[in-house]
Amino acid sequence: MCGIAGIIHLDGPGDVGREMTKMLQSMKHRGPDSAGYALYGEPKDHLVMRFKLADPNDTSDFDFSERLERSRREVESRLSKIGASVDRVDGESAYAYRAEFRYEGELKPLADYVENIPGCEVLSLGHSLEIVKDLGDANTVAGQYKLDAFRGTHAIGHVRMATESDVDIAGAHPYWAYPFSDVAVVHNGQLTNYHQWRRRLERSGHRFQSECDSEIIAVYLAERLADGLSLETAMKQSLEDLDGVFTYLVVTEDSLGMAKDEMAAKPLVLHQADNLVALASEESAIRAVLPQEIDSYDPYEKEVLVWSR
Amino acid sequence: MVAVNETSRPVRYDVRGLAEPDAEAPKTARIDGDSAVIDAADLSPRLINLELRRLVYGEDIRNVTITNPGAKHSVAVGLLARCRITIDGSLGYFACTLGDGPEIHVTGRVGWSLGENMMSGVVVVDKNAGSLTGAALRGGDLVIRGHVGARTGIDQKGGTILVGGNTGSMTGFMMQRGRQIICGDAGPGLGDSMYDGSIYVAGKVASLGVDCVEEEMGPEDHELLDRKFRIYRMDKPDTFRKFVCGKQLYNYDTLEPSERKLVL
């Protein structure tokens, strides 16, 4: 089933961390397996990288913490070797980290080099994007990663009921549009031509971290954006190329977009005001942040909408 | 109605098949003569419905207003009595489903599957509705003044769905009886695989579904439309077209190769 939610403030930053938690928590019944956030803070000069070095399902054997520490040092040393000047690396949970560094070169070699460390996955990389995802409901994840204090302009989130792959962080949404800076995707549905697209994208040099069909959308869009297409054009093209039932949300540094398949098989409720756009699988999620009586509607089949802050 | 079995750890079950047989109505409604108001802000859908049942069946109150519904799911479900319910706000999925008799007015919008399998009664929604509106509707009137989502009246078996705005794709999919009146535009695949019934559309039709054809409007059609628009005090557009089943799928018109040999 899964639940997706998005919010964008069109007139300056708001408490997107707290708002997204409320929205996702109200849709817990749609997906209790994991919760994930893609949050956009104020754009910074340096890059922010969120990564994990183990999975909550991993057994903590006797040298677990030493191994994590070794891997963490290896990430730092690899960042330095490739030419980044590391400002700080903070532990966010037992196995997830947040690094700040300055780097001018291409992101793909950097991400590939860092991910070559066993157990390492880069969750997000960009000047304002931060992806946080873990097992449990939204309140659990928000508490663990202290997201209530996060201020920013826009965010998307996802609560997952696993159908196509395992319950682990790799299978949790949102997906960073690797290796494209500051782009992330959440998805509700199933893609039926997943293997076809995965083989195609792998042949053009992309890597996949999970067996989850939704990762395709993120990498597909990233490739189209790299070809120079606008976000809206890339999304419209995805409706022709992707097969299955889906509603997905995509965020970039300054915009939030939604797309719906030609059957309109998956739900989405949309509320549009002058200063705010909120959309979610269920209206109760929008009500969690806007309790007053509001106007909302369901976008129709094959609809692609993009808002920029 | 609660039974206890004979093992050392008693398992309680309810002959009505309720998941929570011990759940009790919160008794928080304000009763004033023959009408009552339920504040649903802090109530779960189950408690709202229990309270509604207590008032309608237990207290014989036939005029109930629900305030602060907060787009909750499955509210005002399975009411089998003549009563008048006003929902002051918006509801989520499966609103006003499985009813037989109630007249329900929702001042906000509703989510998916409004009035699913309603047997009789009236539901009026002032704003928009989600997909699957009136799925498997058996009777009564379902009126949505705003727009509705996809697959409106899927598997409809009777009754009337009146939409003030547009509808999405596959409107009237596999419809078997009843009527749909759509004042705005209809999405692609209108009346796909419908068996019977009629769909009236005043706006543009994106495309017709399999075996759906247009038919001439007769005097009885105009009479029906005039009547429905008069009841619900809505403006009637004068551009209605009527779509029905082409009945080409009722029988096979091609034979399997082995059958063809037999015939020859």
Side-chain angles (χ1 to χ4, degrees), chain A residues 239 244-247 259-266 300-302:
Chain A
L239 298 184
V245 291
F246 55 84
T247 297
K260 228 174 166 181
D261 70 273
E262 62 180 331
M263 303 282 289
K266 291 289 172 182
Y300 285 121
E301 66 285 338
K302 278 194 148 179

Side-chain angles (χ1 to χ4, degrees), chain A residues 263 282-283 293 295-296 300, chain B residues 73 109 127-128 148 151:
Chain A
M263 303 282 289
E282 290 181 12
E283 180 157 348
E293 191 55 37
D295 283 335
S296 62
Y300 285 121
Chain B
H73 301 314
R109 64 153 271 155
K127 291 184 181 173
N128 303 329
V148 298
R151 301 181 290 286

Side-chain angles (χ1 to χ4, degrees), chain B residues 186-253:
Chain B
L190 179 80
D192 194 286
S193 308
M194 68 192 284
Y195 296 74
D196 211 341
S198 32
I199 307 177
Y200 305 90
V201 184
K204 288 194 291 290
V205 174
S207 69
L208 290 181
V210 177
D211 201 22
C212 179
V213 294
E214 187 170 355
E215 198 183 73
E216 281 289 307
M217 296 268 288
E220 70 286 357
D221 296 314
H222 287 290
E223 189 276 325
L224 165 86
L225 293 176
D226 288 339
R227 185 155 43 86
K228 291 294 178 190
F229 280 96
R230 204 167 49 239
I231 293 172
Y232 299 105
R233 294 198 185 91
M234 288 165 73
D235 295 328
K236 183 189 158 208
D238 47 14
T239 50
F240 271 110
R241 293 156 71 197
K242 184 185 183 186
F243 298 92
V244 295
C245 175
K247 305 192 176 177
Q248 292 302 304
L249 297 179
Y250 274 28
N251 304 294
Y252 291 110
D253 60 354

Side-chain angles (χ1 to χ4, degrees), chain A residues 82-147:
Chain A
I82 206 163
S85 75
V86 181
D87 292 339
R88 59 193 297 179
V89 179
D90 298 317
E92 293 282 310
S93 75
Y95 37 77
Y97 301 83
R98 179 180 185 277
E100 291 183 8
F101 56 86
R102 282 154 216 283
Y103 178 67
E104 300 298 329
E106 289 225 359
L107 295 181
K108 188 174 186 313
L110 183 142
D112 285 345
Y113 190 39
V114 170
E115 283 191 333
N116 223 356
I117 301 166
C120 177
E121 179 182 348
V122 177
L123 302 177
S124 68
L125 186 50
H127 291 280
S128 53
L129 165 69
E130 299 194 33
I131 290 180
V132 173
K133 46 186 177 179
D134 212 318
L135 307 189
D137 64 11
N139 279 350
T140 312
V141 176
Q144 203 178 345
Y145 292 86
K146 299 181 185 62
L147 297 180

